Amino acid sequence: MLMTTLETLKPLQQPLLQNSIAIRDLSFQDRSLVILEAVNLTLSKGEFVVLFGPNGGGKTTLLKLLMGFLKPARGTLSLFGKSPVQMRKMMGYVPQKGPFDPLFPLTTLDVVLQGALSRTTRWGRLPPLWKEKGRALLHQMGLSHLEKRPFGRLSGGQAQRALIARALLGEPSLLLLDEPTAHVDPGAEKEILDLLIRLKRKCTILLVSHQLTSLLSHADQLLLVNRTATPFQPHEICQHFELGLYPNKKNYAHR
Amino acid sequence: MLTDNPFLVMALIAALFSSVTSGIVGSYVVVKRIVFIAGSISHSVLGGMGVVLFLKSSCGWSWLHPLYGALVAAIASSLLMGWIHFKAQEREDTVIAALWAAGMAIGVIFVSLTPGYTVELTHFLFGNILWVSTSDLWLLAFLGIGVLLVSVIFHRRFTTLCFDEEQVSLQGFSRKRLYLLLLCLTALSLVLLIQIVGALLVIALLAIPPAIAGMLSHRFHHLIILAVLLSALFSLLGIFAAYQLNWPPGATIAALSSLVYLASFSLRNKQRRIREEKND
């Protein structure tokens, strides 16, 4: 029987001992507007990190810097000892559903298979093995029956699960998710978060989310991103603000 | 018999070759929503043609064909559009409109400085497929096969680029190079199609068949095949109608495809309304 991609993602050997992300004195500005400054951060392999913070605080910018889509104004950033551009093929990225054209003529499976674009042959053919892996992932996400449905006709939760399947198809070492539960109902939100919890220790996960309550018991670290990045242990969030309360940026300004 | 007319036979073969090109490239242009960019490239072509006609007249370079000028102008403007897309911190639509106007203005200025060439320019502005020579047919076939080959090899990459540019980069490909390749392919196709419908109407043949195909199919490769078939159908019917009615072929093809598009659009909206009423 075909091994599904989720199963083939084995737990990491000696997770949390090796660094996966090392950021030193990182700053980024858009023209004259400083978006991130003096960011210092070290994350271990296999960690599950939740990024939170106010809108415009720099969460998406930090993800784009990690993917090498933006260049820092100052500082260094290394992923598994390499530059972000060198590591791109080892990353899976789940954007918000918003920017996609609802009329685009692609089925759900077509979108998932974009995750194996780098595996196409010189003549542009995708080996059948990857199609099978794509189907297996859709099955794992509970979307098998929607394989041929146009992607634009999926509900918010279904589309996000398809995008997670696309991100996982390349068997990434680093999974970046930008508010995957932003436009979904509570049922779909739970399904997506459960899925991410199942992926814990199989790859390093950076998740932008405001749903701290559901994630506190699973996250290894919480990262407040508001012009700079301040790490917290889950129990600190519990102690300081009570469960589920949004952290107050003023209280953290001089931390 | 219509086929007894050798000019008409050549025109029909040219239409079939160019349908393959316009159907494939037009599908990427429509789903990527860069029809306006394609329009700007097609009008900038006039600048290149105007300069070539001027050089032919003033320097006596009779070997220069206006299509060479069209090709250079189309490629140059597509590279410029690509640069604007990635680099310029400016409103993209405004820059596209400026280039659109600049191309036409350069064309008009150089043609006004070139006595006796207005008829030739009119053919390129409005198209005249009955002008197609054997060497033009070879050029159309050669470029058509080239476009087909590049599209087959790059189809998955182009599709991903049109859907989600960031995903292309994450998979280790250069989205800038791919986007420029797509724009250059569009420029080549536009130059080919200009011979059939002319620079002013070429955008109709590039955009309308894929737009109608998009209403009929949700699979991208089906959409492309349908767009090629529709493009061929419009071109053939348009040429026959123009021959019978003694109308200009380019304008007839563009008018026919526009009418079918408007009819399909209203039919689809009507169907959607009926479906919504049933659901209510």
Side-chain angles (χ1 to χ4, degrees):
Chain A
M1 195 178 142
L2 180 83
M3 289 278 279
T4 61
T5 307
L6 271 186
E7 285 158 358
T8 54
L9 278 171
K10 295 274 186 300
L12 296 166
Q13 295 294 310
Q14 293 185 312
L16 310 181
L17 294 178
Q18 291 171 280
N19 287 347
S20 60
I21 297 176
I23 299 175
R24 299 280 169 268
D25 196 28
L26 185 94
S27 299
F28 177 80
Q29 59 184 65
D30 184 11
R31 297 185 197 184
S32 58
L33 182 68
V34 177
I35 297 177
L36 286 171
E37 64 179 343
V39 176
N40 285 291
L41 188 68
T42 307
L43 299 182
S44 303
K45 219 170 182 177
E47 265 195 289
F48 184 3
V49 182
V50 177
L51 277 68
F52 67 103
N55 290 334
K59 300 182 294 295
T60 301
T61 303
L62 186 57
L63 291 191
K64 296 210 170 193
L65 283 161
L66 286 168
M67 288 185 282
F69 292 151
L70 298 173
K71 284 184 184 161
R74 204 175 58 239
T76 58
L77 197 157
S78 90
L79 307 174
F80 302 94
K82 293 182 178 172
S83 75
V85 175
Q86 285 173 312
M87 278 302 293
R88 270 181 186 162
K89 282 187 190 175
M90 299 308 293
M91 287 184 211
Y93 174 53
V94 181
Q96 292 190 28
K97 199 208 169 201
F100 297 117
D101 178 0
L103 296 176
F104 206 99
L106 285 181
T107 63
T108 310
L109 181 63
D110 291 334
V111 171
V112 172
L113 293 180
Q114 289 178 349
L117 190 67
S118 60
R119 319 292 172 139
T120 47
T121 63
R122 188 181 295 176
W123 296 99
R125 253 190 95 245
L126 185 67
L129 167 77
W130 290 98
K131 289 182 188 167
E132 289 309 311
K133 283 191 173 194
R135 286 200 174 95
L137 266 172
L138 274 180
H139 178 72
Q140 294 250 324
M141 303 287 161
L143 297 173
S144 284
H145 61 296
L146 301 173
E147 181 187 311
K148 289 182 181 168
R149 181 172 290 186
F151 181 78
R153 287 203 199 150
L154 297 182
S155 70
Q158 290 165 342
Q160 285 300 3
R161 277 185 283 156
L163 290 173
I164 293 173
R166 181 180 75 167
L168 291 175
L169 186 59
E171 295 169 1
S173 305
L174 176 63
L175 184 62
L176 307 167
L177 305 103
D178 194 356
E179 295 194 53
T181 56
H183 305 290
V184 302
D185 58 61
E189 180 191 318
K190 188 179 177 310
E191 281 176 21
I192 291 169
L193 295 181
D194 285 349
L195 177 73
L196 294 176
I197 290 158
R198 278 166 60 202
L199 285 168
K200 197 176 165 182
R201 299 284 176 269
K202 292 182 175 175
C203 56
T204 308
I205 301 174
L206 260 76
L207 164 69
V208 175
S209 179
H210 299 286
Q211 314 301 326
L212 300 185
T213 328
S214 347
L215 292 163
L216 273 177
S217 54
H218 302 285
D220 296 307
Q221 267 194 69
L222 292 111
L223 203 63
L224 171 64
V225 183
N226 186 18
R227 196 158 158 149
T228 189
T230 316
F232 292 93
Q233 290 304 309
H235 69 269
E236 291 181 280
I237 300 284
C238 300
Q239 287 167 358
H240 289 218
F241 303 108
E242 299 176 10
L243 263 175
L245 275 183
Y246 200 86
N248 183 338
K249 131 186 165 190
K250 206 166 70 181
N251 291 355
Y252 282 91
H254 303 292
R255 196 188 149 87
Chain B
M1 275 285 282
L2 290 171
T3 48
D4 290 341
N5 184 334
F7 290 106
L8 198 63
V9 173
M10 299 273 267
L12 293 175
I13 296 170
L16 286 176
F17 280 144
S18 55
S19 298
V20 175
T21 310
S22 67
I24 295 171
V25 176
S27 297
Y28 295 121
V29 167
V30 168
V31 298
K32 180 76 179 142
R33 300 191 178 215
I34 52 169
V35 175
F36 196 41
I37 289 181
S40 182
I41 295 172
S42 71
H43 284 73
S44 70
V45 156
L46 294 172
M49 285 180 171
V51 172
V52 164
L53 289 175
F54 175 75
L55 290 174
K56 257 176 99 168
S57 160
S58 60
C59 303
W61 294 347
S62 54
W63 52 270
L64 258 185
H65 193 286
L67 272 183
Y68 298 156
L71 202 59
V72 171
I75 297 287
S77 59
S78 62
L79 293 176
L80 194 60
M81 300 282 178
W83 181 79
I84 290 163
H85 180 69
F86 289 110
K87 295 279 181 198
Q89 305 274 321
E90 193 54 68
R91 288 187 185 92
E92 204 174 336
D93 57 339
T94 312
V95 182
I96 291 165
L99 283 173
W100 184 310
M104 282 207 77
I106 292 168
V108 171
I109 290 168
F110 275 96
V111 167
S112 72
L113 296 173
T114 315
Y117 278 88
T118 43
V119 177
E120 198 171 356
L121 188 76
T122 309
H123 282 304
F124 283 111
L125 275 175
F126 302 106
N128 192 348
I129 198 167
L130 299 175
W131 255 29
V132 173
S133 64
T134 316
S135 60
D136 289 334
L137 267 189
W138 278 111
L139 182 72
L140 278 171
F142 178 71
L143 288 176
I145 290 167
V147 167
L148 186 65
L149 208 64
V150 171
S151 305
V152 166
I153 295 170
F154 286 87
H155 176 66
R156 279 188 185 276
R157 276 168 264 183
F158 281 154
T159 307
T160 310
L161 178 86
C162 295
F163 182 71
D164 181 4
E165 285 189 13
E166 286 178 344
Q167 183 63 19
V168 173
S169 301
L170 278 178
Q171 292 292 318
F173 299 104
S174 163
R175 61 174 156 171
K176 287 180 190 170
R177 280 187 211 158
L178 260 184
Y179 187 63
L180 287 178
L181 179 64
L182 183 60
L183 285 184
C184 287
L185 218 56
T186 308
L188 262 180
S189 313
L190 286 167
V191 172
L192 286 179
L193 295 172
I194 278 171
Q195 295 193 79
I196 295 176
V197 282
L200 296 181
L201 300 170
V202 70
I203 204 67
L205 204 54
L206 195 76
I208 291 175
I212 298 171
M215 295 179 199
L216 303 171
S217 174
H218 300 295
R219 303 295 302 269
F220 199 17
H221 55 278
H222 292 170
L223 186 152
I224 292 177
I225 294 166
L226 266 173
V228 170
L229 293 175
L230 283 170
S231 182
L233 186 73
F234 292 146
S235 301
L236 298 184
L237 286 178
I239 290 168
F240 278 124
Y243 182 80
Q244 296 291 344
L245 302 166
N246 200 22
W247 285 1
T252 313
I253 294 168
L256 177 70
S257 47
S258 304
L259 280 175
V260 174
Y261 174 69
L262 290 174
S264 324
F265 185 71
S266 21
L267 198 69
R268 195 180 67 151
N269 273 0
K270 200 174 175 182
Q271 278 178 334
R272 192 180 289 164
R273 267 204 308 276
I274 292 168
R275 213 181 305 132
E276 280 169 3
E277 278 167 17
K278 266 186 190 172
N279 289 341
D280 289 342

